[in-house]
Amino acid sequence: MANVLLANIHNRIKEQAKVKNTPKWVRDPKSYIQNNLYIRTKRKTVELLKFNPIQERFWESKTKKDIILKPRQLGFSTLTLARFFECVINEENVTAVVIAHDAESTQKLFKTVQLMYERLPESKKEQLNNGKKRPKYGNRKEYYFTGNNSTIYVGTAGADKFGRGQTINYVLCSEVAFWDKPEDIMMGLLEAVPADGEIVIESTANGVGTYYYDTYFEAKRGDANTEWTSHFYAWYEHPEYKTPLHPGEVLTYDAEEQELVDKYGVTPEQIKWRRRKIASMPKKADRSKEDSFRQE
């Protein structure tokens, strides 16, 4: 009996020493995202989210209020969604809201959240759900975690109510240039986000004199009354936007292409990609294919 008691005491001492000597977890959002959060890729695979060069640049320059003008498919929605999802699962008592411009995009973004959650380690899921296997859902577009009292919600601009009578710590507004009545939605959101909260507005271009257009250029000019930081990313900065040349193929540039080469160092492979994209643009009565490419 004495030997059993001594063994139990010895085991408890070892467990206490193990706990005491375990390094304290230091939160590192960038590392956590790239080592724990999975996304679907263009190659139809599921992989950890590894930052591309433009995402790296934005990460280093982001502030509390960022407005981004960018071409399509650079990964800003995915990156910001991952960043705010990391906050929701690693902080207590916070709410993140993601707002898309239409129902299809809303569903796509929520599926991204679902995948990130589903691929978390089981121990993390249990921690988030107070030992249960499944989180509590407010509805089909929401995760509420009872373990840390934090929520992430994905909704559609104009179809869902945001901001009234609640505190929102993190907000992603996607494709704002395509929202209907963005001023009304943003008014409620800006009132709901506290001083230490974060808001990201991102969009491709769509028209002049809109809420998004005016807000972006106020930030770009550095107007005294703006709280936003502007970020612009050009299509040729994305490493994927290029088409290989055939052996011996040499391109002859027009004036606009030559300017891109001279001013921005655009490569022949990027020029070829640009030509193919312009050729694939639909014809419209009010704009040329080149103008459609510039917008997109």
Side-chain angles (χ1 to χ4, degrees):
M1 179 65 74
N3 289 338
V4 173
L5 289 173
L6 286 173
N8 289 338
I9 292 171
H10 183 63
N11 288 336
R12 285 200 297 270
I13 291 173
K14 286 199 300 183
E15 286 297 320
Q16 289 171 357
K18 183 179 178 181
V19 171
K20 183 177 180 181
N21 294 325
T22 300
K24 183 179 180 181
W25 181 62
V26 178
R27 185 176 167 202
D28 181 354
K30 183 178 180 181
S31 177
Y32 190 95
I33 289 169
Q34 296 192 91
N35 288 293
N36 292 278
L37 301 188
Y38 285 81
I39 61 169
R40 291 181 181 86
T41 71
K42 296 176 183 178
R43 300 181 300 277
K44 300 180 181 179
T45 60
V46 174
E47 301 176 12
L48 286 167
L49 196 171
K50 299 298 183 183
F51 293 8
N52 65 41
I54 294 180
Q55 290 172 328
E56 287 274 6
R57 280 177 52 199
F58 174 67
W59 186 276
E60 298 303 321
S61 61
K62 61 184 172 58
T63 66
K64 296 290 186 181
K65 287 188 175 181
D66 296 299
I67 183 165
I68 303 167
L69 175 60
K70 45 81 175 180
R72 290 185 179 276
Q73 298 184 333
L74 291 191
F76 284 110
S77 294
T78 301
L79 174 66
T80 305
L81 193 155
R83 183 158 71 90
F84 292 167
F85 182 72
E86 188 277 333
C87 294
V88 167
I89 64 175
N90 287 323
E91 296 179 13
E92 294 184 343
N93 310 311
V94 298
T95 296
V97 168
V98 180
I99 310 172
H101 69 292
D102 59 26
E104 181 180 353
S105 300
T106 299
Q107 186 62 25
K108 181 180 178 181
L109 288 172
F110 187 65
K111 285 183 177 179
T112 302
V113 175
Q114 285 180 309
L115 180 60
M116 289 179 182
Y117 172 77
E118 289 166 0
R119 293 301 180 102
L120 288 175
E122 291 303 315
S123 58
K124 183 64 176 178
K125 293 180 186 177
E126 291 182 5
Q127 177 192 12
L128 289 170
N129 302 313
N130 275 334
K132 296 181 179 180
K133 292 184 177 181
R134 295 180 179 276
K136 181 177 180 180
Y137 289 83
N139 56 50
R140 294 180 61 188
K141 296 182 289 186
E142 178 182 11
Y143 276 115
Y144 168 62
F145 301 115
T146 55
N148 64 353
N149 191 38
S150 293
T151 301
I152 185 166
Y153 177 80
V154 183
T156 306
D160 300 274
K161 301 294 183 181
F162 303 101
R164 305 298 182 183
Q166 60 180 313
T167 298
I168 303 175
N169 307 94
Y170 304 101
V171 182
L172 166 60
C173 303
S174 181
E175 294 295 350
V176 175
F178 297 86
W179 286 13
D180 183 35
K181 299 181 179 178
E183 297 87 350
D184 297 340
I185 301 171
M186 292 303 301
M187 183 181 301
L189 283 173
L190 293 175
E191 290 295 322
V193 178
D196 63 346
E198 298 183 34
I199 308 178
V200 174
I201 293 177
E202 57 89 3
S203 188
T204 48
N206 183 38
V208 177
T210 64
Y211 170 85
Y212 174 79
Y213 178 96
D214 292 341
T215 304
Y216 174 80
F217 278 101
E218 286 170 4
K220 184 176 176 62
R221 291 191 303 265
D223 289 4
N225 62 340
T226 185
E227 298 179 278
W228 298 94
T229 299
S230 68
H231 305 265
F232 171 74
Y233 300 93
W235 65 269
Y236 49 79
E237 296 177 276
H238 195 331
E240 294 182 10
Y241 287 175
K242 57 186 177 182
T243 300
L245 301 183
H246 300 302
E249 182 178 7
V250 178
L251 302 184
T252 301
Y253 303 138
D254 62 24
E256 186 172 356
E257 292 171 340
Q258 189 64 56
E259 184 178 13
L260 288 170
V261 172
D262 294 341
K263 290 182 67 174
Y264 305 111
V266 174
T267 67
E269 290 80 8
Q270 291 174 310
I271 293 293
K272 186 174 181 179
W273 178 90
R274 178 180 181 271
R275 290 178 179 180
R276 289 190 173 188
K277 277 295 177 182
I278 290 174
S280 70
M281 290 289 160
K283 289 185 177 180
K284 295 187 177 182
D286 61 339
R287 74 180 67 156
S288 66
K289 288 189 173 187
E290 287 81 1
D291 288 339
S292 294
F293 172 80
R294 293 186 187 99
Q295 174 173 309
E296 295 298 326

